[in-house]
Amino acid sequence: MHTVGVVTPEPMKYNEFTGQVQHRLEYAQIGQAVRATRAVLTTLGERLPEGEATDLASPLPMEIDRYLTTATHGQRFDYQEFLDRVAEREGVDRSDANYHAQQVMAVVASVVPPGNIEKVDNGLPEDFDPLFELVETADEQDMA
């Protein structure tokens, strides 16, 4: 008889993360998913204070966390400017940028502890609420 140890979840791997983004955005090419991820997280990193960006980034795969941590932190801009920056970086229009940002954040939220997501959500102005539209909060998961 052997005992079964407690299994700690494996940190998500880079290709697993980008694969989830690719699947959610229904992209044929992984490069498109990487571009969307980079555009969203770099722009979010610019908006967040450095500490919050680092907290959000730490559970993410190393190749992805750098988008958040190497940005020029603490810039002040509203959600429309956020979408404009994402759209420009990714080469898409604003409505696609919004959809992509929501999907990328949903994947991020599947990796990052809920408290870190809530801290980011609470630290941003109310007009950023659409960014978290597809993120299930701990309360919603309890009700499911």
Side-chain angles (χ1 to χ4, degrees):
M1 185 174 115
H2 72 297
T3 57
V4 178
V6 175
V7 178
T8 54
E10 282 277 312
M12 188 179 279
K13 304 270 188 284
Y14 173 74
N15 37 358
E16 189 183 347
F17 187 99
T18 53
Q20 280 194 30
V21 173
Q22 180 183 8
H23 175 73
R24 283 174 166 270
L25 297 181
E26 299 178 9
Y27 274 146
Q29 307 283 321
I30 194 74
Q32 295 168 298
V34 172
R35 190 165 39 254
T37 301
R38 183 176 52 235
V40 170
L41 295 182
T42 299
T43 308
L44 183 60
E46 290 172 343
R47 185 61 180 81
L48 295 175
E50 188 172 358
E52 278 183 34
T54 302
D55 288 349
L56 186 62
S58 61
L60 297 174
M62 184 175 60
E63 302 89 339
I64 291 169
D65 73 5
R66 66 190 168 98
Y67 302 143
L68 283 160
T69 58
T70 60
T72 307
H73 304 289
Q75 297 178 40
R76 310 289 284 177
F77 50 84
D78 65 9
Y79 192 63
Q80 295 310 310
E81 172 71 12
F82 172 84
L83 294 179
D84 288 342
R85 291 182 184 201
V86 171
E88 187 177 324
R89 283 188 168 115
E90 193 185 346
V92 296
D93 65 28
R94 186 189 275 190
S95 64
D96 284 345
N98 184 57
Y99 179 72
H100 295 176
Q102 291 172 335
Q103 293 291 354
V104 169
M105 284 309 296
V107 177
V108 168
S110 73
V111 181
V112 174
N116 294 26
I117 296 288
E118 286 173 33
K119 186 176 177 187
V120 169
D121 189 2
N122 294 337
L124 290 169
E126 222 172 270
D127 69 328
F128 275 81
D129 286 354
L131 181 60
F132 301 94
E133 215 165 89
L134 302 178
V135 172
E136 285 189 30
T137 63
D139 298 342
E140 289 169 348
Q141 288 170 359
D142 291 343
M143 286 189 263

